[in-house]
């Protein structure tokens, strides 16, 4: 089971680019990396998923180095509404469990 | 849009009561999950199901059971509620993943906040 490690919390300001890094040293060859966003009193929602190199969508970019032992979620020009908890997940080949870590609480300041 | 609906947003129960939390999804997803979320602990997987009448234990199944009689419905049961089961409960569903290690995309309900007195 590939565990993940993320910073507990981060602060940033409106208009800045925010990068949240996740460590997953035991990632398996076929594992994918997925990020979710959770607002207060709501369930998490999918942001982005990748396997290697770089993935970009309308919300974020995901950077994965060649060794895949870490990944970085990049949020361009954040706003106050990006204040949320961000979870990094790594696919578990073993038994189909989908395990969330404790996430990173991102607080955007005006 | 995919919709995952949890039957109750807020419940208050007494110790020893039997509690049913219902979850329904409308996108014909194979996989369904129950998590609980507590401050400082993130989301922890209780049970999941990848087919009707199939269930698998997650990381914290003790004190809980589940039922999946129909594909769209996954119920979480607390046979005898205790105060340490006070928590936010989140249901999710997903399609069959693309392959080993691909978790697919999880769709979550809005959560059920349970208080056990």
């Amino acid at each position: 089971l590939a565990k993940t490690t993320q910073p507990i919390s981060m602060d940033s300001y409106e208009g800045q680019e925010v990068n949240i890094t996740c460590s997953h040293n035991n990632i398996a060859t076929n594992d994918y990396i997925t990020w979710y966003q959770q607002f207060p009193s709501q369930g998490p929602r999918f942001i982005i998923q990748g396997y290697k190199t770089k993935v970009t969508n309308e919300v974020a970019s995901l950077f994965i180095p060649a060794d895949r032992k870490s990944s970085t979620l990049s949020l361009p020009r954040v706003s106050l509404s990006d204040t949320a908890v961000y979870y990094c997940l790594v696919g578990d080949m073993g038994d189909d469990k989908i395990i969330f870590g404790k996430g990173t609480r991102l607080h955007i300041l005006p | 849009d995919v919709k995952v609906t949890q039957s109750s947003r807020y419940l208050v129960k007494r110790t020893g009561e039997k509690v049913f939390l219902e979850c329904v999804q409308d996108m014909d997803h194979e996989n369904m999950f129950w998590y609980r979320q507590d401050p400082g602990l993130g989301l922890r997987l209780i049970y999941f199901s990848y087919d009707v009448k199939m269930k698998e234990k997650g990381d914290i199944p003790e004190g809980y059971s589940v039922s999946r009689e129909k594909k769209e419905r996954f119920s979480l049961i607390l046979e005898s509620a205790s105060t340490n089961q006070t928590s936010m409960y989140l249901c999710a569903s997903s399609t069959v993943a693309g392959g080993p290690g691909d978790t697919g995309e999880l769709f979550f309900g809005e959560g059920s906040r349970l208080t056990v007195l």
Side-chain angles (χ1 to χ4, degrees):
Chain A
L1 177 63
K3 292 199 180 289
T4 61
T5 303
Q6 306 172 234
I8 293 173
S9 66
M10 294 178 65
D11 289 341
S12 187
Y13 291 93
E14 281 193 292
Q16 300 282 318
E17 178 185 78
V18 172
N19 296 312
I20 306 174
T21 297
C22 178
S23 297
H24 27 80
N25 291 320
N26 297 323
I27 189 169
T29 302
N30 290 339
D31 281 351
Y32 283 71
I33 300 155
T34 312
W35 286 79
Y36 285 80
Q37 175 191 55
Q38 185 180 22
F39 297 115
S41 301
Q42 295 184 23
R45 70 177 184 122
F46 174 93
I47 302 177
I48 197 166
Q49 184 181 68
Y51 181 77
K52 62 180 179 181
T53 62
K54 178 183 175 182
V55 179
T56 297
N57 62 22
E58 64 278 4
V59 176
S61 295
L62 179 60
F63 298 92
I64 306 168
D67 67 5
R68 303 198 332 119
K69 293 184 183 299
S70 66
S71 58
T72 299
L73 175 73
S74 181
L75 304 171
R77 295 183 300 280
V78 292
S79 64
L80 295 175
S81 62
D82 291 314
T83 292
V85 179
Y86 292 82
Y87 294 93
C88 164
L89 280 71
V90 173
D92 180 8
M93 283 182 63
D95 55 6
D96 297 322
K97 287 182 180 180
I98 300 180
I99 304 297
F100 284 74
K102 296 181 181 180
T104 297
R105 188 172 296 277
L106 176 64
H107 187 205
I108 304 302
L109 303 166
Chain B
D1 279 352
V2 174
K3 188 152 187 176
V4 178
T5 303
Q6 294 185 228
S7 54
S8 305
R9 288 299 304 273
Y10 301 95
L11 301 95
V12 179
K13 298 291 182 181
R14 297 205 174 273
T15 301
E17 280 192 84
K18 190 169 186 175
V19 181
F20 291 89
L21 299 178
E22 304 282 341
C23 176
V24 178
Q25 50 96 0
D26 66 359
M27 283 301 290
D28 202 35
H29 284 170
E30 292 82 4
N31 303 330
M32 296 188 75
F33 307 81
W34 275 105
Y35 293 87
R36 65 176 281 178
Q37 184 170 33
D38 302 288
L41 297 178
L43 280 83
R44 293 182 290 167
L45 181 63
I46 305 172
Y47 268 97
F48 64 102
S49 169
Y50 52 86
D51 202 353
V52 174
K53 298 192 184 294
M54 304 300 288
K55 61 183 179 183
E56 295 286 342
K57 292 180 180 179
D59 291 331
I60 52 164
E62 295 78 19
Y64 303 94
S65 62
V66 290
S67 173
R68 193 159 181 207
E69 296 297 319
K70 293 184 178 181
K71 190 175 185 180
E72 67 271 17
R73 188 180 298 271
F74 192 35
S75 303
L76 180 69
I77 304 156
L78 288 68
E79 292 289 342
S80 178
S82 62
T83 54
N84 63 12
Q85 292 178 309
T86 292
S87 186
M88 169 70 85
Y89 290 88
L90 289 158
C91 174
S93 71
S94 73
T95 59
V96 173
D102 181 356
T103 60
E105 180 176 346
L106 285 173
F107 295 86
F108 282 86
E110 291 192 325
S112 298
R113 186 167 293 282
L114 172 66
T115 301
V116 183
L117 302 175

